[in-house]
């Protein structure tokens, strides 16, 4: 169960900080680091009010999770520190999530969290503690290429988390380590059980940790009440077809919840117009996108020239595309491409980078 932490000096002379969320993945990373012979310090960020978080399941960095992380650290005999980042998380992630939905966009809070408290702030904590690296439980592979450190998809495609790490900077990647990238999840649980960690069978956290019941609308309505107001459902020509119960219940490409009778074909959300509180719907062919303009493009691992594939949703398959300036152009029409989501670019298994989708062009216009 040894892991290669890719350090420049002997592990016995090194210090590794492990980001411990209280789940099985980060707990096994801590165990692998401890087994390496390095000095190990576990760090947990408290992202919720401790009292409100007690007993919650399907989350991370909450009350029970902090206790689980502490128990694992005690079992391994390593130091463990908890830092209160509740205010920073609320301001940078939860408020931004609500703002994006209110603006008719489809946010990815997990990326914002990685960009902020999980990497930027945790990176600073690890540096202050004198660590040689910061190790996390993400399922991605860090590799050394001809032009520097690269990020590659995990060996287990079912667990790959590279889509959520497209905004990782080169400086962060040079300092980060991902020991689980080459392991399947069942093996990780086996390692936890072999060591006797109490979290070996703990369920995985859900994608959006601060929405424990999956009701995104409730979170947005609480912070941005105007986003829950009803409005018109119109067709592509602007004709009113019916009423919706709030734009926060809909995202581009969605079919569920559009209760319009008499249509000769299924209707999908084509566009969200928050200023007019309008939901524009149309047939599936109206969702065909030929290109998308990106903002805040991030590139990892040096220059690259050649064919790419693009992934526009976390669960989508990468599709052939080309990247010109800040525009990603799909070889074939892509469906369900939503502003606020990310377009992430790959060359084979290598993550090249990506950016935030600002606007899309129909397949006809992009041809």
């Amino acid at each position: 169960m040894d892991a290669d932490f890719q350090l420049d000096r002997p592990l016995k002379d090194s210090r590794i900080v492990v980001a411990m969320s209280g789940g099985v993945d980060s707990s096994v990373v801590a165990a692998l680091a401890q087994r390496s012979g390095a000095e190990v310090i576990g760090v947990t960020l408290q992202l919720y009010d401790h009292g409100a978080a007690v007993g919650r399941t399907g989350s991370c960095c909450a009350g029970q999770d902090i206790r689980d992380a502490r128990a694992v650290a005690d079992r391994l005999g390593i130091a463990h520190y908890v830092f209160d980042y509740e205010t920073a998380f609320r301001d940078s992630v939860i408020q931004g999530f609500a703002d994006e939905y209110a603006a008719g966009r489809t946010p990815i809070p997990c990326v914002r969290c990685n960009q902020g408290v999980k990497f930027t702030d945790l990176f600073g904590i690890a540096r202050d503690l004198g660590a040689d690296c910061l190790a996390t439980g993400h399922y991605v592979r860090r590799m050394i290429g001809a032009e520097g450190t690269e990020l590659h998809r995990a060996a287990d495609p079912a667990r790959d988390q590279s889509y959520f790490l497209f905004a990782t900077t080169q400086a962060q990647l040079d300092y980060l380590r991902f020991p689980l990238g080459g392991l399947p999840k069942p093996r990780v649980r086996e390692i936890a059980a072999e060591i006797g960690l109490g979290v070996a069978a703990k369920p995985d956290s859900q994608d959006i940790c601060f929405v424990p019941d999956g009701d995104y609308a409730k979170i947005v309505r609480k912070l941005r009440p105007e986003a829950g107001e009803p409005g018109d459902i119109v067709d592509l020509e602007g004709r009113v077809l019916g009423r919706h119960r709030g734009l926060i219940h809909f995202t581009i490409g969605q079919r569920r919840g559009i209760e319009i009778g008499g249509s000769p074909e299924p209707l999908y959300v084509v566009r969200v117009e928050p200023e007019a509180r309008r939901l524009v719907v149309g047939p599936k062919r109206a969702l065909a996108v030929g290109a998308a303009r990106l903002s805040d493009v991030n590139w990892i691992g040096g220059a690259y020239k050649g064919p790419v594939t693009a992934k526009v949703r976390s669960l989508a398959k990468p599709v052939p595309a080309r990247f010109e300036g800040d525009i990603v152009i799909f070889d074939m029409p892509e469906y369900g491409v939503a502003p606020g989501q990310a377009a992430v670019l790959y060359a084979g298994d290598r993550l090249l980078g990506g950016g935030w989708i600002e606007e899309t062009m129909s397949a006809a216009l992009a041809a």
Side-chain angles (χ1 to χ4, degrees):
M1 53 175 270
D2 293 336
D4 180 9
F5 283 89
Q6 301 176 320
L7 297 180
D8 294 330
R9 60 176 177 170
L11 283 162
K12 64 181 180 63
D13 300 322
S14 302
R15 176 178 292 170
I16 299 173
V17 164
V18 178
M20 298 182 68
S21 67
V24 63
D25 295 326
S26 61
S27 297
V28 168
V29 170
L32 294 174
Q34 189 269 344
R35 175 71 175 264
S36 74
E39 179 188 359
V40 181
I41 300 173
V43 170
T44 300
L45 301 182
Q46 180 181 319
L47 304 181
Y48 303 96
D49 174 75
H50 179 79
V54 171
R56 284 180 49 177
T57 58
S59 62
C60 71
C61 308
Q64 181 59 50
D65 302 295
I66 292 172
R67 291 197 294 273
D68 288 341
R70 182 172 291 119
V72 168
D74 288 345
R75 172 75 180 180
L76 298 174
I78 64 173
H80 178 247
Y81 300 105
V82 178
F83 294 85
D84 183 358
Y85 270 73
E86 180 187 354
T87 299
F89 183 75
R90 181 178 63 245
D91 293 345
S92 65
V93 179
I94 300 179
Q95 296 281 0
F97 176 82
D99 288 341
E100 286 283 271
Y101 257 112
R105 296 162 62 88
T106 306
I108 318 176
C110 297
V111 176
R112 297 296 186 188
C113 185
N114 286 332
Q115 282 183 298
V117 295
K118 285 238 179 118
F119 281 176
T120 304
D121 295 323
L122 199 50
F123 187 102
I125 291 172
R127 287 287 196 191
D128 289 343
L129 290 171
D132 293 279
C133 70
L134 170 64
T136 81
H138 289 95
Y139 284 84
V140 290
R141 289 178 295 162
R142 177 186 183 276
M143 304 180 74
I144 306 301
E147 295 189 44
T149 315
E150 300 175 354
L151 202 56
H152 289 242
R153 279 196 281 244
D156 182 352
R159 299 299 306 177
D160 175 58
Q161 294 174 300
S162 59
Y163 179 85
F164 299 103
L165 299 181
F166 82 88
T168 305
T169 68
Q170 196 67 50
Q172 289 171 343
L173 184 56
D174 289 341
Y175 192 58
L176 288 162
R177 301 295 186 274
F178 308 104
L180 304 187
L183 297 175
K185 183 60 175 266
R187 178 56 187 148
V188 172
R189 291 197 181 277
E190 286 176 2
I191 293 171
E194 290 167 2
I195 301 170
L197 301 183
V199 296
K202 185 176 181 177
D204 292 334
S205 60
Q206 62 183 40
D207 283 345
I208 302 181
C209 57
F210 58 87
V211 190
D213 57 2
D215 189 352
Y216 307 152
K218 182 171 66 177
I219 297 289
V220 180
R221 189 184 298 111
K222 180 179 178 181
L223 296 172
R224 302 290 180 269
E226 68 278 8
E229 296 178 1
D232 289 334
I233 301 176
V234 303
D235 65 13
L236 296 173
E237 283 71 44
R239 292 186 293 264
V240 177
L241 303 178
R243 298 280 288 176
H244 64 76
R245 58 193 179 95
L247 295 178
I248 56 177
H249 298 285
F250 300 92
T251 58
I252 290 175
Q254 181 175 324
R255 180 181 174 189
R256 178 177 51 82
I258 304 174
E259 299 173 355
I260 302 296
S263 175
E265 53 189 322
L267 296 175
Y268 299 81
V269 177
V270 176
R271 192 166 62 252
V272 177
E273 299 179 347
E275 292 184 1
R277 298 205 303 273
R278 294 199 309 180
L279 194 68
V280 182
V281 300
K284 186 175 182 179
R285 59 181 176 275
L287 290 170
V289 167
R293 182 177 65 82
L294 310 184
S295 66
D296 297 327
V297 174
N298 183 58
W299 206 255
I300 303 173
Y304 174 82
K305 292 183 179 180
V308 304
T309 57
K311 188 173 182 176
V312 295
R313 295 177 305 282
S314 62
L315 298 179
K317 292 182 178 180
V319 297
R322 65 184 189 274
F323 188 57
E324 300 177 358
D326 60 353
I327 306 292
V328 58
I329 304 167
F330 306 108
D331 286 7
M332 298 291 292
E334 185 71 356
Y335 294 82
V337 184
Q341 294 275 290
V344 179
L345 307 176
Y346 296 87
D349 280 339
R350 177 185 162 192
L351 171 66
L352 299 173
W356 298 102
I357 299 171
E358 289 298 325
E359 62 178 336
T360 61
M361 288 162 269
S362 71
L365 292 175

